PDB file of all heavy atoms in Angstrom:
ATOM      1  N   LEU E 344      -5.341  -5.443  19.047  1.00 98.00           N
ATOM      2  CA  LEU E 344      -5.934  -6.721  18.667  1.00 98.00           C
ATOM      3  C   LEU E 344      -6.527  -7.423  19.881  1.00 98.00           C
ATOM      4  O   LEU E 344      -5.872  -7.607  20.895  1.00 98.00           O
ATOM      5  CB  LEU E 344      -4.803  -7.573  18.078  1.00 98.00           C
ATOM      6  CG  LEU E 344      -5.090  -8.533  16.916  1.00 98.00           C
ATOM      7  CD1 LEU E 344      -5.727  -7.728  15.762  1.00 98.00           C
ATOM      8  CD2 LEU E 344      -3.845  -9.206  16.468  1.00 98.00           C
ATOM      9  N   ASN E 345      -7.774  -7.939  19.623  1.00 97.00           N
ATOM     10  CA  ASN E 345      -8.400  -8.830  20.641  1.00 97.00           C
ATOM     11  C   ASN E 345      -8.217 -10.258  20.319  1.00 97.00           C
ATOM     12  O   ASN E 345      -8.438 -11.145  21.120  1.00 97.00           O
ATOM     13  CB  ASN E 345      -9.944  -8.541  20.507  1.00 97.00           C
ATOM     14  CG  ASN E 345     -10.531  -8.010  21.776  1.00 97.00           C
ATOM     15  OD1 ASN E 345     -10.080  -8.439  22.814  1.00 97.00           O
ATOM     16  ND2 ASN E 345     -11.456  -7.109  21.661  1.00 97.00           N
ATOM     17  N   GLY E 346      -7.880 -10.518  19.056  1.00 98.00           N
ATOM     18  CA  GLY E 346      -7.704 -11.879  18.558  1.00 98.00           C
ATOM     19  C   GLY E 346      -7.514 -11.750  17.070  1.00 98.00           C
ATOM     20  O   GLY E 346      -7.718 -10.657  16.483  1.00 98.00           O
ATOM     21  N   ILE E 347      -7.256 -12.881  16.373  1.00 98.00           N
ATOM     22  CA  ILE E 347      -7.135 -12.799  14.912  1.00 98.00           C
ATOM     23  C   ILE E 347      -8.527 -12.509  14.304  1.00 98.00           C
ATOM     24  O   ILE E 347      -9.515 -13.172  14.677  1.00 98.00           O
ATOM     25  CB  ILE E 347      -6.506 -14.086  14.384  1.00 98.00           C
ATOM     26  CG1 ILE E 347      -5.018 -14.113  14.815  1.00 98.00           C
ATOM     27  CG2 ILE E 347      -6.653 -14.225  12.824  1.00 98.00           C
ATOM     28  CD1 ILE E 347      -4.239 -15.268  14.367  1.00 98.00           C
ATOM     29  N   GLY E 348      -8.587 -11.479  13.487  1.00 98.00           N
ATOM     30  CA  GLY E 348      -9.877 -11.063  12.910  1.00 98.00           C
ATOM     31  C   GLY E 348     -10.615 -10.143  13.835  1.00 98.00           C
ATOM     32  O   GLY E 348     -11.797  -9.800  13.587  1.00 98.00           O
ATOM     33  N   LYS E 349     -10.000  -9.718  14.920  1.00 98.00           N
ATOM     34  CA  LYS E 349     -10.710  -8.885  15.893  1.00 98.00           C
ATOM     35  C   LYS E 349      -9.896  -7.650  16.276  1.00 98.00           C
ATOM     36  O   LYS E 349      -9.395  -7.531  17.410  1.00 98.00           O
ATOM     37  CB  LYS E 349     -11.010  -9.647  17.174  1.00 98.00           C
ATOM     38  CG  LYS E 349     -11.982 -10.795  16.942  1.00 98.00           C
ATOM     39  CD  LYS E 349     -12.250 -11.510  18.242  1.00 98.00           C
ATOM     40  CE  LYS E 349     -13.086 -12.746  18.011  1.00 98.00           C
ATOM     41  NZ  LYS E 349     -12.879 -13.756  19.077  1.00 98.00           N
ATOM     42  N   PRO E 350      -9.807  -6.695  15.321  1.00 98.00           N
ATOM     43  CA  PRO E 350      -9.068  -5.441  15.662  1.00 98.00           C
ATOM     44  C   PRO E 350      -9.917  -4.564  16.574  1.00 98.00           C
ATOM     45  O   PRO E 350     -11.146  -4.652  16.531  1.00 98.00           O
ATOM     46  CB  PRO E 350      -8.878  -4.782  14.314  1.00 98.00           C
ATOM     47  CG  PRO E 350      -9.963  -5.333  13.458  1.00 98.00           C
ATOM     48  CD  PRO E 350     -10.296  -6.719  13.926  1.00 98.00           C
ATOM     49  N   VAL E 351      -9.258  -3.738  17.390  1.00 97.00           N
ATOM     50  CA  VAL E 351      -9.945  -2.746  18.245  1.00 97.00           C
ATOM     51  C   VAL E 351      -9.205  -1.463  18.138  1.00 97.00           C
ATOM     52  O   VAL E 351      -7.973  -1.449  18.095  1.00 97.00           O
ATOM     53  CB  VAL E 351     -10.009  -3.136  19.724  1.00 97.00           C
ATOM     54  CG1 VAL E 351     -11.252  -3.883  20.071  1.00 97.00           C
ATOM     55  CG2 VAL E 351      -8.779  -3.900  20.173  1.00 97.00           C
ATOM     56  N   ILE E 352      -9.976  -0.358  18.107  1.00 95.00           N
ATOM     57  CA  ILE E 352      -9.305   0.960  18.057  1.00 95.00           C
ATOM     58  C   ILE E 352      -9.307   1.584  19.470  1.00 95.00           C
ATOM     59  O   ILE E 352     -10.344   1.650  20.098  1.00 95.00           O
ATOM     60  CB  ILE E 352     -10.014   1.847  17.014  1.00 95.00           C
ATOM     61  CG1 ILE E 352      -9.847   1.189  15.626  1.00 95.00           C
ATOM     62  CG2 ILE E 352      -9.445   3.283  17.037  1.00 95.00           C
ATOM     63  CD1 ILE E 352     -10.524   1.898  14.494  1.00 95.00           C
ATOM     64  N   PHE E 353      -8.131   1.949  19.871  1.00 90.00           N
ATOM     65  CA  PHE E 353      -7.954   2.510  21.234  1.00 90.00           C
ATOM     66  C   PHE E 353      -7.335   3.886  21.161  1.00 90.00           C
ATOM     67  O   PHE E 353      -6.274   4.054  20.563  1.00 90.00           O
ATOM     68  CB  PHE E 353      -6.903   1.614  21.969  1.00 90.00           C
ATOM     69  CG  PHE E 353      -7.436   0.746  22.995  1.00 90.00           C
ATOM     70  CD1 PHE E 353      -8.005  -0.478  22.674  1.00 90.00           C
ATOM     71  CD2 PHE E 353      -7.410   1.129  24.354  1.00 90.00           C
ATOM     72  CE1 PHE E 353      -8.515  -1.318  23.649  1.00 90.00           C
ATOM     73  CE2 PHE E 353      -7.913   0.312  25.306  1.00 90.00           C
ATOM     74  CZ  PHE E 353      -8.456  -0.905  25.005  1.00 90.00           C
ATOM     75  N   PRO E 354      -7.960   4.908  21.727  1.00 89.00           N
ATOM     76  CA  PRO E 354      -7.288   6.210  21.753  1.00 89.00           C
ATOM     77  C   PRO E 354      -6.082   6.142  22.701  1.00 89.00           C
ATOM     78  O   PRO E 354      -6.133   5.490  23.758  1.00 89.00           O
ATOM     79  CB  PRO E 354      -8.380   7.143  22.282  1.00 89.00           C
ATOM     80  CG  PRO E 354      -9.440   6.286  22.876  1.00 89.00           C
ATOM     81  CD  PRO E 354      -9.283   4.893  22.341  1.00 89.00           C
ATOM     82  N   HIS E 355      -5.048   6.880  22.294  1.00 88.00           N
ATOM     83  CA  HIS E 355      -3.831   6.883  23.158  1.00 88.00           C
ATOM     84  C   HIS E 355      -4.087   7.329  24.577  1.00 88.00           C
ATOM     85  O   HIS E 355      -3.504   6.817  25.492  1.00 88.00           O
ATOM     86  CB  HIS E 355      -2.723   7.758  22.495  1.00 88.00           C
ATOM     87  CG  HIS E 355      -1.472   7.815  23.217  1.00 88.00           C
ATOM     88  ND1 HIS E 355      -0.505   6.818  23.067  1.00 88.00           N
ATOM     89  CD2 HIS E 355      -1.001   8.653  24.177  1.00 88.00           C
ATOM     90  CE1 HIS E 355       0.524   7.071  23.869  1.00 88.00           C
ATOM     91  NE2 HIS E 355       0.251   8.203  24.556  1.00 88.00           N
TER      92      HIS E 355
END
Side-chain angles (χ1 to χ4, degrees):
L344 216 56
N345 240 323
I347 291 181
K349 294 181 186 154
V351 267
I352 296 177
F353 252 84
H355 181 82

